Amino acid sequence: MEDLFIIKIGGETINNPETLKICLKTIATSGKKIILVHGGGRKVTELAQKLQIPQQMVEGRRITSAETLELCTMVYAGLINKNIVAGLSSKNRVAIGLSGADLNCIVSKKRDASIIKYGFVGDIVKVDEMVFDDFISKNIIPVVNSISISEESELLNTNADVMAAEIAKAMSATYKTHLIYCFEKNGVLKDIADENSVIDEISKADFTQMKETKQIADGMIPKLQTAFRTLYHGVEEARILRSDALQSYFNQEKPGTNISLH
């Protein structure tokens, strides 16, 4: 089985043009089979403020009104996606930008509103691995943004970490899939204030304990939960690292935090 790397970037990597440039150069010159997944929530928050569209977050997840969905679609599927495709192209690597609506490749259902009304938010029900396989076999990097489509053909805002995880799970039938979350920190930290306190490996038991002691909190909790789930579904490796550590990762070093079931 060939190796396939599903790399998710967001936050600082996307917001800082220099960091993004370095990251895309590493990906373009790696010679690896890659699917790149991106979010870009900060850009949406910034634009929403300028356009005076109120924003609401619950446990790190965005409540998506109809207006916010329009904004998310423009920013994720337009501005950020095409910038990344262009960045890879400038390093002579052919890429294609995809939302879940393109070729119907990622279908989701609208999240149940009985507890929290998330609005136009989708939970993934189907990934068409044939679409991705087709591009990968032609040495094209799919650049996937976090807009999916419902069975009723409605566009929905979808969590990019989950999108990367679901793609990794779907592709694990035909490839040895490696799920890499690029993060602004060096990995999962023992002490949030100390960048050098990286935990090399975190098991399910460690995670449960660190959650109870509040060593792990906020956005890191769903990220890790999602990563653990992929390992139960045949994904070879799940790792959290800084995007500027990607090069050393491809050089067989082991930066960041490895997520392990044991």
Side-chain angles (χ1 to χ4, degrees):
M1 265 186 164
E2 285 186 281
D3 290 292
L4 172 66
F5 299 85
I6 289 88
I7 298 171
K8 187 265 170 174
I9 60 173
E12 195 48 45
T13 308
I14 285 173
N15 273 32
N16 183 325
E18 206 43 50
T19 310
L20 182 61
K21 212 167 155 184
I22 294 164
C23 177
L24 296 181
K25 184 183 178 186
T26 303
I27 287 166
T29 56
S30 68
K32 310 282 187 196
K33 291 189 182 308
I34 289 171
I35 297 172
L36 186 56
V37 181
H38 68 84
R42 287 186 194 177
K43 196 75 181 162
V44 167
T45 305
E46 248 171 62
L47 273 175
Q49 280 173 342
K50 285 182 192 165
L51 298 169
Q52 297 178 331
I53 299 168
Q55 297 297 289
Q56 195 188 346
M57 305 290 272
V58 176
E59 292 170 356
R61 302 278 163 99
R62 190 183 301 273
I63 303 279
T64 307
S65 65
E67 269 186 310
T68 298
L69 179 70
E70 283 191 1
L71 203 52
C72 288
T73 306
M74 288 183 230
V75 173
Y76 301 155
L79 182 67
I80 294 174
N81 193 267
K82 296 310 159 209
N83 269 336
I84 291 172
V85 169
L88 289 167
S89 188
S90 75
K91 303 284 177 253
N92 301 317
R93 196 71 204 264
V94 181
I96 184 160
L98 296 171
S99 71
D102 296 302
L103 303 167
N104 239 31
C105 64
I106 298 170
V107 179
S108 61
K109 66 174 193 306
K110 203 168 178 180
R111 185 169 297 170
D112 173 31
S114 58
I115 302 164
I116 296 166
K117 290 180 172 56
Y118 277 102
F120 294 92
V121 168
D123 293 316
I124 297 167
V125 292
K126 189 170 116 277
V127 173
D128 186 346
E129 63 270 24
M130 299 296 287
V131 169
F132 295 104
D133 204 22
D134 193 35
F135 289 122
I136 293 161
S137 66
K138 293 177 177 136
N139 206 23
I140 295 168
I141 296 182
V143 178
V144 188
N145 62 70
S146 51
I147 298 292
S148 58
I149 190 169
S150 75
E151 279 161 344
E152 293 71 48
S153 303
E154 214 175 14
L155 293 176
L156 294 169
N157 184 17
T158 302
N159 180 279
D161 286 346
V162 174
M163 210 153 205
E166 290 299 324
I167 293 170
K169 276 157 60 174
M171 301 310 288
S172 69
T174 37
Y175 293 92
K176 271 170 73 172
T177 53
H178 305 262
L179 175 64
I180 310 297
Y181 284 141
C182 291
F183 188 54
E184 26 260 39
K185 306 279 181 196
N186 286 328
V188 182
L189 305 177
K190 272 196 192 94
D191 173 2
I192 199 76
D194 179 7
E195 271 291 338
N196 297 314
S197 66
V198 177
I199 300 164
D200 294 334
E201 187 159 277
I202 189 164
S203 70
K204 199 77 210 276
D206 298 333
F207 172 61
T208 308
Q209 193 189 345
M210 289 175 80
K211 221 167 48 173
E212 280 167 13
T213 58
K214 303 271 192 293
Q215 263 180 292
I216 293 176
D218 307 330
M220 187 50 90
I221 292 175
K223 198 183 280 288
L224 284 167
Q225 281 169 334
T226 305
F228 279 117
R229 255 197 312 275
T230 65
L231 296 172
Y232 285 116
H233 287 87
V235 170
E236 185 78 11
E237 176 189 29
R239 185 173 284 275
I240 295 178
L241 45 73
R242 266 173 79 104
S243 63
D244 55 11
L246 261 182
Q247 188 61 64
S248 65
Y249 170 74
F250 285 140
N251 292 343
Q252 305 293 310
E253 292 163 40
K254 302 221 177 297
T257 301
N258 183 47
I259 294 142
S260 145
L261 291 177
H262 311 297

